[in-house]
Amino acid sequence: MQLQKAMSYNPRGDFLVETAQMVSGLLLVLFLWAHMLFVASIWLGQGSFNALAGFMDRYGLLPLTIVFLVLVFGTHVGAVLRRMPRQYAEQRVVWKHAKLIHHGDTWSWVFQSITGSAIIVLAVVHIAIVSFAGINVHLSSLRVANPGFLVFYIVLLLLSEYHASVGLYRILVKWGFVNRYSMKRVLNVVSVLFIVVGGVSLWILYSLGA
Amino acid sequence: MAGRELTFRIMRYNPETPEVKPHLQDFKLFEEPGMTLFVVLNKIREEQDSSLRFDFVCRASICGSCGMLVNGRPTLACRTLTKDLPDVTTLLPLPVFKLLGDLSVDTGTWFREMSIRTESWVHDDSEFDPTKQEERMDNEEALKIYEAERCIECGCCIGGCATANIRPGFIGAAGINRVARFMVDPRDKRTEQEYFEVVGSEDGVFGCIGLMACDDNCPVGVPLRGQIAYVRRKMASAGWKMKVGR
Ligand code: SF4
Ligand code: SF4
Ligand code: FES
């Protein structure tokens, strides 16, 4: 071992980062699902959506959520970055490798880093807008009625559901809790469900705004 | 019966003549009943190009020397039947390992290094008493050890692993399986903490990103997914306790 390595040696370092990645990932998945359900309150009518938003506002849940997101999102990005082959040379190796070995799961890793990077940008924009503008039906529907924003939200919805589903699958596979193939199927169904839920919410908001 | 005409696109490269860039060369021959890639490659070497390099020893999925990428999939050439192949097949050497030439790679050095790093021997400091009866092992445990020992060190799980391709120190599924083998062995007296030093890092089990190319490709069907998960859980518990201990 080199001197510097010996001096900065922390045997648990990798374990902790791995745990941080997993826990933050799980929290984000849960958040995403809760988020989709909250937005789906629009299904019940404008009143319930506004009531929920008002409730969150009154009890300071909104800033709390944002703090939570900044922390968890930051942790996740930080922990995951080590995994993403960063250097150009490594990127090329992974890309070549995925093309070479024709293996579905290996491709999903490539997509995972692409969707992840895209989500960083999109989610930050989304969070910034929401935290500055606030949440109510009027604002949201006007925004969604704008074709640019509509596309933005659809892309964000699809990317985050995909990323969450693959990430969750990967965690379960790595720890070996459930059968791989049946689990993949379950997760696919769950993600499609949430995409539908989110899509319908978007559609309702869109028709309100238009 | 005249078989199909098969085309084999084989990678040619000789590290001694690096000026000749790696390239694919086509060889054609007619399929015969029960033909394996072992037969194909030997035929090509005998009849078409005597300089073609590849490895075989047992030609029966025992020695693990014939691992290569068959249409991209890491597998044993000797157990690949041509009847399962399309008309055109690409053969490439296994990635990660040192390329000796054409389809031949040096898996031995890699596996020896892995054995040393994972300290693949039974650790026991107790005094040996030759007069004592041998300790008995639970049949269940013996079977688990046997399952892990079925690994023939072919390197398919290493060549197919994205992590191993970008992280030279990564011990891969074969390495993790090796550690699992000693973990279940009651004769090995290593503690969880000692194992943690060996595999509780990014070069060990926490480097695995769970793509399961290893599990999908192991030609002898070592249950790699289960082995990796087993070691991961053990190491997570060791890592967790370490915090409490300090
Ligand atoms: S599951 Fe882990 S060891 Fe197996 S191929 Fe994937 S990264 Fe490599
Ligand atoms: S675990 Fe399977 S694929 Fe890996 S070296 Fe052993 S036999 Fe080959
Ligand atoms: S030649 Fe021994 S495994 Fe193929």
Side-chain angles (χ1 to χ4, degrees):
Chain A
M1 202 181 288
Q2 300 149 335
L3 174 65
Q4 282 87 345
K5 271 207 184 141
M7 291 198 312
S8 64
Y9 182 58
N10 175 5
R12 287 204 313 147
D14 294 338
F15 167 64
L16 292 179
V17 187
E18 171 88 6
T19 311
Q21 173 186 342
M22 178 178 75
V23 173
S24 57
L26 282 175
L27 286 174
L28 286 172
V29 172
L30 288 180
F31 172 81
L32 178 69
W33 289 352
H35 179 331
M36 296 326 292
L37 292 179
F38 275 37
V39 173
S41 64
I42 190 73
W43 292 27
L44 303 176
Q46 306 191 25
S48 33
F49 187 93
N50 278 337
L52 193 57
F55 171 82
M56 290 187 63
D57 214 14
R58 205 159 34 251
Y59 293 97
L61 289 180
L62 218 49
L64 210 67
T65 311
I66 291 168
V67 171
F68 165 85
L69 275 183
V70 170
L71 285 179
V72 178
F73 201 72
T75 311
H76 195 63
V77 172
V80 160
L81 271 186
R82 110 207 106 111
R83 276 293 155 69
M84 274 183 41
R86 271 155 296 184
Q87 287 141 17
Y88 175 64
E90 284 188 3
Q91 298 252 6
R92 278 192 23 191
V93 171
V94 171
W95 189 257
K96 272 223 154 99
H97 180 72
K99 279 211 291 207
L100 191 63
I101 71 161
H102 304 292
H103 179 252
D105 278 20
T106 301
W107 272 117
S108 77
W109 188 43
V110 175
F111 294 143
Q112 198 70 343
S113 42
I114 297 174
T115 53
S117 324
I119 291 172
I120 295 179
V121 179
L122 298 183
V124 166
V125 172
H126 172 54
I127 295 169
I129 292 176
V130 171
S131 45
F132 285 117
I135 305 175
N136 66 50
V137 175
H138 182 65
L139 284 172
S140 306
S141 56
L142 276 187
R143 231 182 289 136
V144 173
N146 174 319
F149 264 113
L150 185 62
V151 172
F152 172 90
Y153 282 123
I154 292 175
V155 172
L156 181 56
L157 175 67
L158 292 179
L159 289 188
S160 41
E161 285 299 344
Y162 173 84
H163 192 88
S165 161
V166 173
L168 203 54
Y169 163 73
R170 187 86 60 238
I171 290 176
L172 295 173
V173 153
K174 281 204 285 196
W175 294 90
F177 294 122
V178 250
N179 174 288
R180 245 176 104 189
Y181 299 100
S182 55
M183 172 173 63
K184 211 175 198 169
R185 234 169 294 138
V186 170
L187 282 177
N188 283 343
V189 172
V190 170
S191 311
V192 168
L193 270 182
F194 274 101
I195 289 176
V196 170
V197 169
V200 172
S201 308
L202 275 177
W203 182 72
I204 296 178
L205 284 170
Y206 177 79
S207 42
L208 284 174
Chain B
M1 145 186 132
R4 294 186 288 166
E5 187 184 43
L6 300 172
T7 305
F8 290 93
R9 239 160 241 149
I10 300 178
M11 159 135 144
R12 303 305 308 268
Y13 179 67
N14 184 351
E16 269 139 48
T17 54
E19 60 289 355
V20 185
K21 289 260 173 280
H23 60 281
L24 292 173
Q25 184 179 351
D26 280 7
F27 295 95
K28 289 183 194 304
L29 48 76
F30 285 101
E31 187 171 26
E32 289 160 11
M35 198 179 215
T36 65
L37 282 183
F38 167 77
V39 179
V40 168
L41 287 168
N42 277 297
K43 243 178 126 81
I44 292 175
R45 182 156 67 186
E46 265 163 39
E47 295 168 7
Q48 304 188 30
D49 188 338
S50 61
S51 71
L52 184 65
R53 292 209 244 172
F54 53 82
D55 298 316
F56 285 99
V57 179
C58 71
R59 44 140 192 76
S61 324
I62 296 166
C63 71
S65 57
C66 65
M68 59 182 72
L69 297 181
V70 179
N71 284 329
R73 190 158 189 258
T75 190
L76 297 177
C78 69
R79 77 196 284 274
T80 305
L81 291 164
T82 53
K83 74 172 168 51
D84 300 327
L85 296 174
D87 292 345
V88 181
T89 296
T90 313
L91 298 180
L92 301 175
L94 275 183
V96 181
F97 301 103
K98 184 175 166 204
L99 187 54
L100 299 177
D102 301 338
L103 299 173
S104 168
V105 293
D106 175 7
T107 50
T109 308
W110 191 96
F111 274 92
R112 184 148 46 89
E113 243 159 55
M114 181 274 280
S115 297
I116 295 171
R117 276 185 43 216
T118 53
E119 304 192 4
S120 297
W121 55 87
V122 168
H123 291 54
D124 186 0
D125 291 335
S126 62
E127 193 91 24
F128 176 64
D129 180 357
T131 58
K132 232 171 68 181
Q133 270 225 332
E134 226 177 307
E135 266 177 54
R136 280 172 191 280
M137 188 188 286
D138 200 41
N139 194 39
E140 197 88 347
E141 276 165 347
L143 285 176
K144 272 194 203 139
I145 295 175
Y146 181 69
E147 188 72 358
E149 294 232 306
R150 281 174 38 225
C151 169
I152 56 173
E153 307 198 351
C154 64
C156 289
C157 59
I158 308 300
C161 170
T163 311
N165 272 276
I166 50 174
R167 193 173 244 293
F170 183 53
I171 61 171
I176 296 169
N177 175 59
R178 180 70 64 79
V179 174
R181 178 246 174 274
F182 286 96
M183 274 181 177
V184 294
D185 192 332
R187 293 165 298 183
D188 195 318
K189 300 292 187 258
R190 272 182 279 184
T191 62
E192 264 187 11
Q193 305 297 330
E194 283 169 283
Y195 281 117
F196 193 88
E197 295 282 327
V198 178
V199 277
S201 71
E202 283 276 278
D203 279 339
V205 74
F206 295 126
C208 162
I209 50 177
L211 300 172
M212 293 302 144
C214 52
D215 193 64
D216 290 336
N217 288 326
C218 176
V220 293
V222 176
L224 292 172
R225 178 171 98 97
Q227 297 288 56
I228 293 173
Y230 169 72
V231 174
R232 175 179 283 268
R233 291 197 294 255
K234 277 245 167 186
M235 288 305 94
S237 106
W240 186 254
K241 284 187 205 137
M242 223 186 247
K243 180 164 87 196
V244 182
R246 270 183 208 178

